[in-house]
Amino acid sequence: MTRLSWPRRATAVLAAAALGVSGLTACSSEPEAADGTYTWWDPYPQHDASSAWAKRVNACGEQAGVTINRTAYDTTALTNQALLAGQEGNAPDVILLDNPAVSTLADAGMLTAMSDFGLDTARFDKNLLAAGELDGKAYGIPIGANTLALFYNKRILDGAGVDPASIKDWASLNAALQKVKTSGKKAITFSAIGTEEGSFQFLPWFWGAGAQLTQLDSPQAVEALQLWTSWVRDGIAPNSVISNSQNTTWEEFLTGEFAFAENGTWQIDSAAKADFPTGIIQIPAKSGGTAPTPTGGEFITVPVQKDTGRYDTTKKLLECMTTPEGLVETGTTFAYYIPSTADGQQAILAKNPSLKPWVDAVRSAKGRTSDNLGTDYPKISEAMWTAVQKALSGAATPAAALSAAQSQAKSATNG
């Protein structure tokens, strides 16, 4: 693949940096590397030096016989710092990147392919690994994954006579939502905001209809947007979805007024503490089965180093972090990560069997940059969320909005 010039790389990386589906804050000063010190950057400033996460990272350093100098940035700042470090030839040894940014940095020539690095990726779930692949090469390994499902309020469903197990496809979901509305309760809420979060939440319905990101105006894509539009038009979903972030959607659900909310693995603990009994079901595909949901989560990546002799120790760090036990520890530390290997998933289910629906969801999930979309994904996503906004606001029909989106995406990706 043709490498980008540095000005174009900056644009691409900044686009990727905007892809995070949750916001983090704060950062610490940039570290300096020494022979016995390995630099580690991650997007977890909420986990300080005394945290279980920091201790875990340091323990892997000790196991590899080196000291870890860890720096935590928020997601956007991290990717921007990675760009600068790559320009200056002073990249850290390890960076944990939000998965959509991996292919962008790889395309910029900043990351080492795992095969070149000598790390076997065969044990990682292919659907999760694909989010960090470009042109057939893996440029990172997932430390875990989160994804979406439908949370439900059991009290409301019981009152409306809805059995969540009966929801198998769009028809049965629509029937359940109508029962809830007829009972006088609010049916469903989700995030359709004009950002990556809106695309993230629309993708299960888009993919579940059989649509592909390379053809935003396909009949299947139109069906998916018609579904959402009909919910808002008919009062099944509130008008607030147009401006809802995933956090505000969750706040709506926690009021106890909504039967369903589309949200992610990261709300497991919050759901358990709700003032009403909750459960989850997989997001159904149009004609039945589970819809592919987008993966969230970070990849461990290895920036290109001038001193390739450092890679042997870096490999030890990656292997330490991704043993079955290590993946479970990550999942436990963050309370919303599902391990990215079959062994890790079995191990976390042995500790917490209630996570099985989420393990199932992750196993059927799909990376946003999969299908070798790479640096094209942010442009396609922006066109898609713009179409969703137009349709839900009534500014355009779903078909017209997606037709314009396809033209926008085609122009942006061919430019």
Side-chain angles (χ1 to χ4, degrees):
M1 175 172 288
T2 303
R3 299 300 178 191
L4 304 178
S5 65
W6 275 111
R8 288 185 65 202
R9 287 183 190 182
T11 301
V13 171
L14 287 170
L19 290 174
V21 295
S22 61
L24 303 174
T25 58
C27 66
S28 58
S29 60
E30 185 176 342
E32 296 292 333
D35 286 345
T37 300
Y38 275 62
T39 52
W40 174 292
W41 292 359
D42 66 44
Y44 310 130
Q46 74 274 37
H47 295 283
D48 63 20
S50 65
S51 67
W53 170 250
K55 290 176 182 175
R56 221 179 130 231
V57 171
N58 289 335
C60 282
E62 291 173 7
Q63 184 173 314
V66 296
T67 299
I68 298 294
N69 192 343
R70 173 181 172 254
T71 303
Y73 298 93
D74 73 16
T75 299
T76 301
L78 173 65
T79 314
N80 294 341
Q81 287 293 330
L83 171 65
L84 294 174
Q87 286 178 296
E88 297 167 357
N90 188 32
D93 293 285
V94 176
I95 306 180
L96 266 66
L97 289 170
D98 188 30
N99 71 75
V102 175
S103 58
T104 298
L105 294 186
D107 187 58
M110 294 174 58
L111 300 180
T112 305
M114 295 293 99
S115 55
D116 297 339
F117 181 64
L119 191 75
D120 183 11
T121 60
R123 63 193 175 92
F124 294 90
D125 287 2
K126 292 184 184 303
N127 66 316
L128 302 180
L129 192 66
E133 290 181 336
L134 185 67
D135 295 336
K137 286 190 172 184
Y139 285 89
I141 49 178
I143 62 168
N146 52 46
T147 195
L148 297 167
L150 291 178
F151 287 85
Y152 62 82
N153 180 326
K154 187 176 184 300
R155 188 175 297 158
I156 291 179
L157 294 193
D158 286 349
V162 172
D163 177 3
S166 68
I167 299 172
K168 304 293 187 182
D169 52 21
W170 287 7
S172 53
L173 174 60
N174 278 328
L177 295 175
Q178 189 58 52
K179 282 186 176 181
V180 171
K181 183 185 176 187
T182 301
S183 74
K185 300 295 184 180
K186 298 177 181 179
I188 190 169
T189 185
F190 51 89
S191 170
I193 193 171
T195 69
E196 177 59 21
E197 291 191 50
S199 290
F200 191 74
Q201 291 231 325
F202 183 58
L203 277 171
W205 311 97
F206 181 87
W207 283 333
Q212 301 293 323
L213 286 169
T214 50
Q215 193 64 42
L216 294 179
D217 60 350
S218 69
Q220 295 87 351
V222 173
E223 281 187 299
L225 191 49
Q226 285 174 335
L227 179 72
W228 267 22
T229 303
S230 69
W231 287 350
V232 173
R233 181 194 65 221
D234 298 339
I236 296 293
N239 288 326
S240 62
V241 299
I242 297 174
S243 58
N244 272 355
S245 68
Q246 292 184 112
N247 284 337
T248 53
T249 293
W250 189 247
E251 289 168 4
E252 285 184 336
F253 182 66
L254 289 180
T255 64
E257 297 177 0
F258 285 86
F260 293 96
E262 181 180 351
N263 226 289
T265 325
W266 52 91
Q267 303 293 8
I268 290 173
D269 287 349
S270 179
K273 298 173 184 175
D275 293 333
F276 48 89
T278 65
I280 73 157
I281 60 169
Q282 308 302 320
I283 296 174
K286 177 179 182 292
S287 300
T290 300
T293 52
T295 56
E298 281 73 43
F299 273 57
I300 302 182
T301 67
V302 179
V304 173
Q305 299 292 324
K306 293 177 182 177
D307 179 6
T308 57
R310 298 180 69 82
Y311 291 153
D312 287 342
T313 297
T314 306
K315 182 180 177 183
K316 293 178 182 178
L317 296 175
L318 269 63
E319 289 174 338
C320 174
M321 293 296 295
T322 57
T323 62
E325 298 78 15
L327 291 171
V328 169
E329 196 168 343
T330 295
T332 303
T333 298
F334 293 119
Y336 54 74
Y337 269 162
I338 300 301
S340 50
T341 66
D343 287 347
Q345 290 162 9
Q346 290 171 6
I348 204 167
L349 286 176
K351 294 185 68 172
N352 188 350
S354 68
L355 291 175
K356 188 178 186 307
W358 290 108
V359 170
D360 291 342
V362 162
R363 285 174 176 167
S364 63
K366 182 175 180 177
R368 286 165 277 172
T369 57
S370 296
D371 303 325
N372 209 41
L373 291 177
T375 57
D376 287 344
Y377 174 73
K379 304 164 190 175
I380 296 169
S381 177
E382 181 174 359
M384 183 166 63
W385 81 56
T386 300
V388 170
Q389 288 273 297
K390 286 181 180 178
L392 294 189
S393 67
T397 65
L402 286 168
S403 177
Q406 178 62 18
S407 297
Q408 177 186 337
K410 186 175 180 180
S411 175
T413 55
N414 288 341

